[in-house]
Amino acid sequence: MTLIQWFIFFLIIQVVHFLGTWKLYEKAGRKKWEAAIPVYNAIVLMKIIDRPTWWTILLFIPIVNLIMFPVIWVETLRAFGKKSEIDTALAVVTLGFYIYYINYTQNVTYIPNKNAVKKENTLSSLLFAVIVATLVHTYFIQPFTIPSSSLEKSLLIGDFLFVSKFHYGARTPMTAIAAPMVHDSIPVAGVKSYSKWPQLPHFRFPGAQKIKRNDIVVFNWPADTVYRFFDRSGRKADKPIDKKSNYVKRCVGTPGDNLSIKDGIIFIDGKELVLPERAKPQYSYNISIDGQTPINFEYLLKELNITDPAGQTAKDTIFFSALTSESALRLKNTPGITSVTRIIDKTADKRIFPHTKAWSQDNLGPIYIPEEGKTVELNAETLPFYKRIITEYEHNDLKVTGTDIRINGQIAKNYTFKQDYYWMMGDNRHNSEDSRYWGFVPADHIVGKPVFIWMSLDQNIPWSKAIDKIRWERLFTTVGGDGQPVSYFKYFMLALLGYFGYNFYKKRQAKKRA
């Protein structure tokens, strides 16, 4: 929807509100016209229903407002003595239009200061709890689970994270009608959790920092057309940006960078990208053995914490799909292993972005990563890099006739980008679906920054061995930072015990004094 369409929609809502409540405003001692003035009418209504004025703000926050509306309907009825369960149910089921019936047919009496005597309203309390949780989930912190091994060693399958929305700036929801605190489908029911119409324009609050190279970032997968994860029916889905699947990768290229990959090593503007200490890039290896010396591979796999597949491909060769350089060196120094060779992919692969070059997952580039406000030349050579940006991400009409490139009907020799873009990759270089396959990640697809691991479960250990299943050393560890991760779980437990101990002591002292 355009801004004009949203404005018209907003005015229609104001008319609906006025027609359904003006008599109630008068019975509450207010003027009829106060029900008709946008925003002001909401402030007045908060006074009528004896609720804080700041609740007005919640009515204009996407997703949160969908939960607020039923609360306001119920509270309005209660302000005029309609407190029964039937009244509450009718308010919700009729989407608030039950208030029309009260407004025009019932001789109700306004109850000022209705909350002076506290009386629990279960529905309102429950809904307001959901509102608070939705605010936190949408604008501050969101839980996230690591589903794949693309960042293995830094983030493990089974890690449960908190993702900060405020580091890069919280993004307001673009999908106006959606179930709170779920993503693109409702759990158990498996049905779509949102309506594609209407859509709000993209807006992001100022962040505490900008995305830097080597940051681990959660973002909406730009190429997502998955109907539902693990759905094998072949169905496709055209999803709004904020309902595309969440991915987590490492940002290795920022706006304005020229990125190349040579034999699996990333270069930015001609210089090798230096990874942080916690980053453990992994590659595939072939291991040759002499066939005579006994080797306890089961022990080695456990010692090196190798989680990706490995298997014998020939009598004297074992293939490891993912090894760090430290693990490769450990194997190289193992008696019976004659050579350790990193596999470097040089085979041309049309799956590699932009799908027109003889590039591979280990050798590609240079690629210019678009920066907002910067201009690139458009021709048959450069267009494949930026075609999706022009059409899908920045919503232009693109037509190519022979050598002529037309954008929105006009011949175009160059193009100026409207937003920043990023290049995201997994540390598990040969087992990661990332920017090498689908290209740039637009700024409006950024979700947040993983900051904290609060739980970690080993997927290979059953729940019958719950103590062993929990990776205790990863509990309460930070995702970023220098040096190796340190668990703060024991400090948390000590603080918790101290808190309960202090409370217990205070209660005992109070009893003695009594």
Side-chain angles (χ1 to χ4, degrees):
M1 291 177 70
T2 65
L3 287 176
I4 293 176
Q5 289 172 325
W6 270 110
F7 182 68
I8 293 171
F9 179 70
F10 175 71
L11 291 180
I12 291 172
I13 294 297
Q14 301 308 308
V15 172
V16 170
H17 173 76
F18 171 74
L19 293 176
T21 59
W22 65 271
K23 283 191 174 184
L24 298 180
Y25 274 68
E26 288 185 327
K27 288 178 180 179
R30 309 297 302 201
K31 302 295 185 183
K32 180 195 304 185
W33 59 266
E34 290 182 302
I37 307 300
V39 183
Y40 176 69
N41 56 9
I43 294 172
V44 172
L45 182 61
M46 295 308 139
K47 295 182 183 300
I48 291 173
I49 66 176
D50 194 24
R51 289 299 182 183
T53 303
W54 61 263
W55 274 30
T56 304
I57 299 171
L58 301 179
L59 294 173
F60 296 92
I61 299 177
I63 306 301
V64 171
N65 55 10
L66 295 180
I67 312 168
M68 275 299 295
F69 290 146
V71 174
I72 299 302
W73 300 333
V74 171
E75 293 291 318
T76 301
L77 290 171
R78 291 179 65 213
F80 293 91
K82 296 294 182 179
K83 302 179 181 180
S84 70
E85 292 180 2
I86 293 177
D87 290 320
T88 299
L90 286 171
V92 175
V93 170
T94 64
L95 302 180
F97 283 98
Y98 178 57
I99 296 173
Y100 269 67
Y101 171 77
I102 301 298
N103 187 58
Y104 287 107
T105 68
Q106 301 298 297
N107 185 22
V108 291
T109 302
Y110 175 58
I111 306 172
N113 303 317
K114 67 178 178 64
N115 293 315
V117 179
K118 297 294 181 184
K119 184 177 179 180
E120 184 180 5
N121 184 292
T122 306
L123 178 63
S124 293
S125 301
L126 180 61
L127 287 176
F128 199 74
V130 174
I131 288 167
V132 173
T134 302
L135 276 171
V136 172
H137 183 275
T138 304
Y139 296 99
F140 296 97
I141 292 286
Q142 175 181 337
F144 186 81
T145 308
I146 297 299
S148 71
S149 63
S150 68
L151 281 169
E152 191 76 15
K153 306 310 176 193
S154 294
L155 295 175
L156 308 182
I157 296 175
D159 279 351
F160 292 79
L161 314 176
F162 284 136
V163 176
S164 164
K165 300 293 186 71
F166 55 84
H167 273 78
Y168 303 139
R171 180 185 65 185
T172 58
M174 288 171 269
T175 304
I177 300 176
M181 294 186 297
V182 296
H183 195 52
D184 58 345
S185 62
I186 297 175
V188 182
V191 297
K192 192 169 69 172
S193 65
Y194 61 92
S195 168
K196 287 197 292 184
W197 187 92
Q199 285 289 302
L200 295 168
H202 170 257
F203 175 78
R204 189 181 296 276
F205 290 100
Q209 63 184 70
K210 291 186 176 181
I211 298 175
K212 303 186 295 294
R213 285 189 215 108
N214 292 321
D215 278 0
I216 294 177
V217 181
V218 174
F219 56 93
N220 296 116
W221 179 27
D224 186 16
T225 57
V226 176
Y227 178 78
R228 189 168 65 243
F229 273 137
F230 308 115
D231 181 88
R232 298 290 182 261
S233 66
R235 289 175 291 183
K236 300 289 184 181
D238 179 21
K239 299 180 180 179
I241 291 172
D242 56 343
K243 292 303 175 182
K244 291 181 178 181
S245 301
N246 288 329
Y247 264 35
V248 58
K249 305 289 179 186
R250 189 180 300 279
C251 176
V252 296
T254 55
D257 287 347
N258 285 285
L259 178 141
S260 300
I261 302 178
K262 300 175 183 178
D263 292 345
I265 307 301
I266 299 169
F267 290 82
I268 301 295
D269 299 328
K271 297 180 180 179
E272 182 178 341
L273 176 65
V274 179
L275 296 170
E277 183 182 350
R278 292 192 187 187
K280 304 292 182 183
Q282 298 188 96
Y283 301 90
S284 299
Y285 283 81
N286 278 325
I287 310 296
S288 297
I289 57 177
D290 60 19
Q292 299 176 354
T293 307
I295 303 172
N296 189 341
F297 277 107
E298 185 177 349
Y299 172 80
L300 285 172
L301 290 173
K302 188 173 182 180
E303 179 196 339
L304 300 176
N305 194 25
I306 296 172
T307 53
D308 282 59
Q312 196 159 0
T313 56
K315 184 179 179 182
D316 60 349
T317 305
I318 297 173
F319 170 75
F320 284 81
S321 60
L323 289 176
T324 63
S325 57
E326 292 87 349
S327 296
L329 182 61
R330 170 70 175 85
L331 290 173
K332 188 176 182 179
N333 294 326
T334 299
I337 293 179
T338 57
S339 67
V340 177
T341 307
R342 181 161 71 87
I343 297 172
I344 299 174
D345 186 2
K346 296 186 177 182
T347 306
D349 187 347
K350 287 299 180 183
R351 295 178 303 160
I352 300 298
F353 179 82
H355 319 296
T356 58
K357 301 283 188 179
W359 289 350
S360 70
Q361 61 180 335
D362 285 335
N363 287 277
L364 60 84
I367 295 174
Y368 171 72
I369 302 172
E371 182 179 3
E372 181 181 1
K374 293 297 177 68
T375 301
V376 293
E377 182 182 353
L378 289 184
N379 51 48
E381 178 72 16
T382 61
L383 185 60
F385 288 91
Y386 309 115
K387 180 179 179 180
R388 188 173 180 86
I389 288 177
I390 294 169
T391 57
E392 297 295 324
Y393 304 149
E394 301 192 355
H395 313 296
N396 297 286
D397 177 60
L398 174 68
K399 286 186 172 59
V400 180
T401 307
T403 58
D404 286 345
I405 300 172
R406 293 180 182 271
I407 298 178
N408 301 325
Q410 302 294 318
I411 293 287
K413 299 294 184 183
N414 51 54
Y415 184 78
T416 302
F417 301 106
K418 299 175 184 175
Q419 62 176 318
D420 287 332
Y421 293 83
Y422 302 88
W423 192 267
M424 307 288 186
M425 286 177 57
D427 292 348
N428 198 340
R429 297 289 194 250
H430 292 167
N431 187 21
S432 175
E433 186 175 354
D434 50 40
S435 285
R436 291 172 295 176
Y437 295 91
W438 33 257
F440 311 109
V441 175
D444 61 9
H445 283 56
I446 300 299
V447 174
K449 179 177 183 176
V451 292
F452 195 69
I453 301 170
W454 61 273
M455 174 58 74
S456 185
L457 301 175
D458 191 329
Q459 305 301 297
N460 298 315
I461 297 177
W463 275 107
S464 58
K465 299 179 179 179
I467 298 297
D468 296 327
K469 187 176 183 66
I470 298 172
R471 300 185 183 109
W472 296 98
E473 74 284 358
R474 294 186 67 79
L475 266 57
F476 286 62
T477 58
T478 56
V479 175
D482 299 323
Q484 294 303 309
V486 176
S487 173
Y488 294 95
F489 183 67
K490 58 185 178 183
Y491 304 109
F492 168 76
M493 292 302 297
L494 287 171
L496 200 62
L497 287 171
Y499 172 77
F500 284 119
Y502 177 70
N503 274 355
F504 177 73
Y505 172 77
K506 280 183 66 177
K507 287 178 181 178
R508 283 193 67 178
Q509 292 299 108
K511 283 183 179 179
K512 286 180 180 179
R513 286 194 293 269

